[in-house]
Amino acid sequence: MSDDEREEKELDLTSPEVVTKYKSAAEIVNKALQLVISECKPKSKIVDLCEKGDSYIREQTGNMYKNVKRKIERGVAFPTCISVNNTICHFSPLASDESVLEEGDILKIDMGCHIDGFIAVVAHTHVLQEGPVTGRAADVIAAANSAAEVALRLIRPGKKNKDVTDAIQKVAAAYDCKIVEGVLGHQMKQFVIDGNKVVLSVSNPETRVDDAEFEENEVYSVDIVTSTGEGKPKLLDEKQTTIYKRAVDKNYHLKMKASRFIFSEISQKFPIMPFTARALEEKRARLGLVECVNHELLQPYPVLHEKPGDLVAHIKFTVLLMPNGSDRVTSHSLQELQPTKTIDDPEIKAWLALGIKTKKKGGGKKKKGKKGDKADDSAEAEPMDATNGGAPQE
């Protein structure tokens, strides 16, 4: 077998080492999420919370694979974002930003971690209050959670991406909510956070994606955003954008010195994964980033909004399509929800009743799991409320 073939062969879930790296990244990102939630209090500065999430991921990944011959890249795969109320996503402000949390805010916390390019992402919705979440806030979170549960059960070998898109819209409608347009779930591969196989959240004429079938040993980030509004995201202010990803296939000779300086810093520090402008020298960054974006050297992740008063929930998880079934490796348990709607639709109920593990043939002798395999059999067909996230600390 040539080196290239061996390299190709080792990069998916058929390699136990790859599975371990995904699960280690997942364990770190689950704990980082837990930490950020525990620190979310009224009047906390959002930028400080985002920094705490990123620092924890850097610290924990930094402790791993220290003494190996080959240098292993590891760290933040997606900067911590905390998007509040009608803000949909990607809010990870600069150090100078004074935004704080308030009692009753609905927070969408989104983050990612990687080890050797094997990425685990997670997003979770938390309401800053004591006691159960009620009313439309409970509806929008329950809609995202139930849609995520259904997606988990339909993303399996042999099923198509279109099946998932249609199903999650139906689930959101049961709670009188909308799935937010333009949100994509992606296949992930080593160092690729947004692979070519895509799960569209809403099918409409403007956003077409290729039909794709899920296959064994693939990894997906499943991304569900629900809204009590129209589900049509708006970009209000480009200056709010702070997260970018280097477009590796683009070249351009930058004219401004500040741009060249920033682009060289980005190329060294963040050659592949998304990063936040907070990690760059702030004054120069502002000037330089504009030229880099205008010439498509960087792909921006804009901060998007629904209308004021609309409520938005976000749940994202990473799933490994293992030979013995789907393994959801990132999650966090939800607060108690008391939605105003319940699911009566028999088709949705049937989806939710599907198991996520395939039964092993023969005696099904369970292999002894490695460290970090805890989440392996945490759920059969139960809704994913109480999985490996542990209860939120207050």
Side-chain angles (χ1 to χ4, degrees), residues 34-54:
Q34 172 80 33
L35 171 74
V36 171
I37 292 172
S38 71
E39 297 278 341
C40 286
K41 308 256 172 5
K43 303 301 176 203
S44 307
K45 266 175 81 169
I46 293 179
V47 64
D48 295 346
L49 296 163
C50 292
E51 267 305 315
K52 276 194 173 124
D54 291 352

Side-chain angles (χ1 to χ4, degrees), residues 128-295:
L128 208 52
Q129 65 170 64
E130 297 292 324
V133 178
T134 58
R136 293 298 279 153
D139 288 346
V140 78
I141 298 171
N145 186 55
S146 300
E149 291 300 332
V150 166
L152 173 65
R153 287 154 175 77
L154 295 182
I155 294 180
R156 53 173 67 205
K159 287 276 190 196
K160 302 255 187 334
N161 54 355
K162 189 181 168 304
D163 303 335
V164 181
T165 304
D166 297 344
I168 61 176
Q169 284 179 253
K170 189 168 185 177
V171 174
Y175 288 97
D176 198 13
C177 292
K178 289 263 186 359
I179 296 281
V180 172
E181 291 177 13
V183 178
L184 302 176
H186 286 275
Q187 184 186 1
M188 296 194 292
K189 296 181 176 180
Q190 189 181 28
F191 291 111
V192 180
I193 200 165
D194 47 7
N196 293 337
K197 283 193 185 180
V198 170
V199 180
L200 201 54
S201 49
V202 177
S203 43
N204 60 23
E206 291 98 80
T207 35
R208 309 263 325 148
V209 299
D210 293 339
D211 286 344
E213 190 174 297
F214 306 112
E215 294 173 50
E216 200 171 279
N217 295 316
E218 290 180 335
V219 178
Y220 285 87
S221 78
V222 182
D223 207 350
I224 311 273
V225 184
T226 49
S227 170
T228 58
E230 289 174 15
K232 294 186 186 302
K234 304 245 179 330
L235 171 61
L236 297 183
D237 181 2
E238 276 180 13
K239 288 196 190 71
Q240 281 192 316
T241 304
T242 60
I243 297 178
Y244 302 88
K245 180 164 80 86
R246 173 141 181 238
V248 281
D249 53 344
K250 294 276 194 289
N251 287 306
Y252 174 78
H253 185 67
L254 293 159
K255 305 285 184 282
M256 284 164 54
K257 194 177 171 186
S259 310
R260 291 198 296 273
F261 174 84
I262 282 299
F263 192 65
S264 128
E265 190 185 351
I266 290 165
S267 301
Q268 281 166 14
K269 286 189 183 170
F270 310 106
I272 297 170
M273 297 292 177
F275 63 91
T276 159
R278 256 198 327 276
L280 306 170
E281 215 253 292
E282 197 166 315
K283 265 213 173 98
R284 277 187 173 177
R286 281 188 183 210
L287 277 170
L289 288 168
V290 175
E291 193 185 3
C292 294
V293 171
N294 287 346
H295 294 285

